Amino acid sequence: MTLLDRLNQDMKQAMKNKDKETLSVIRMVKASIQNESIKLGKDTLSEDEDLTILSREVKQRKDSLQEFKNAGREDLAEKTKEELEILEQYLPKQLSDEELTSIIQETITEVNAASMKDMGKVMGSVMPKVKGQADGTKIKQIVEQELR
């Protein structure tokens, strides 16, 4: 089942359950997918492109959540946290820190990285391998730790 099919199915269920929050988030994601397909001039997007859009939406929510907490807006932070929980249901299973560290160590060996100067090469190789399965910030932290 593609992401779009799953979103459509969940949207129908949210309508039946009168779950406005879930419905709103699903509509937002569907709009992002549709906008991206129009921008790329495609009728349907690949699974990889869908995952990129979903990851972007999750990252936006995480950034917003942090900003709302910093500003003391607990009402908005709570709403954003709920949206984030709904979005994360559509992401692939997240890698554990151990799995992520293992992938990063393999990649460091593959690209012969020796110092922090090679961080760009490592990040460029790791990101496609773990697309949607790990947060970019966490990946960056582990790469920095491994390259020291």
Side-chain angles (χ1 to χ4, degrees):
M1 180 182 294
T2 66
L3 176 64
L4 204 53
D5 292 339
R6 190 167 162 215
L7 287 169
N8 285 328
Q9 187 177 6
D10 290 352
M11 188 168 89
K12 288 177 190 173
Q13 193 60 46
M15 286 176 172
K16 287 179 185 175
N17 296 342
K18 296 186 182 356
D19 184 354
K20 291 180 181 176
E21 185 68 32
T22 302
L23 186 60
S24 170
V25 172
I26 291 172
R27 283 181 172 155
M28 210 172 334
V29 172
K30 283 185 65 175
S32 293
I33 290 171
Q34 188 172 12
N35 288 340
E36 191 73 15
S37 66
I38 290 169
K39 186 172 121 184
L40 297 174
K42 295 181 177 181
D43 287 338
T44 56
L45 298 177
S46 69
E47 229 177 284
D48 221 23
E49 291 166 327
D50 285 343
L51 193 56
T52 300
I53 293 165
L54 196 56
S55 296
R56 187 181 326 140
E57 292 290 327
V58 168
K59 183 179 182 332
Q60 286 174 351
R61 297 305 179 299
K62 285 182 179 178
D63 292 345
S64 296
L65 183 62
Q66 192 59 46
E67 291 298 316
F68 291 145
K69 284 182 178 180
N70 291 344
R73 293 295 310 265
E74 287 305 314
D75 55 330
L76 294 175
E78 190 59 38
K79 183 180 184 310
T80 305
K81 190 175 182 182
E82 289 170 13
E83 289 178 3
L84 194 55
E85 288 170 5
I86 293 167
L87 284 172
E88 286 175 341
Q89 295 172 12
Y90 297 99
L91 284 175
K93 180 184 170 288
Q94 298 295 293
L95 295 170
S96 69
D97 287 351
E98 293 80 28
E99 293 169 317
L100 192 55
T101 302
S102 172
I103 291 170
I104 290 170
Q105 288 170 341
E106 288 172 20
T107 306
I108 288 172
T109 306
E110 284 173 19
V111 299
N112 297 321
S115 68
M116 289 299 284
K117 291 179 183 175
D118 300 320
M119 185 165 176
K121 285 196 293 189
V122 175
M123 290 294 290
S125 296
V126 169
M127 292 307 282
K129 293 178 185 177
V130 297
K131 189 168 201 144
Q133 296 177 316
D135 181 50
T137 307
K138 184 187 280 187
I139 296 168
K140 180 177 177 266
Q141 289 171 345
I142 294 173
V143 169
E144 286 174 345
Q145 181 182 338
E146 294 296 320
L147 289 177
R148 284 195 190 126

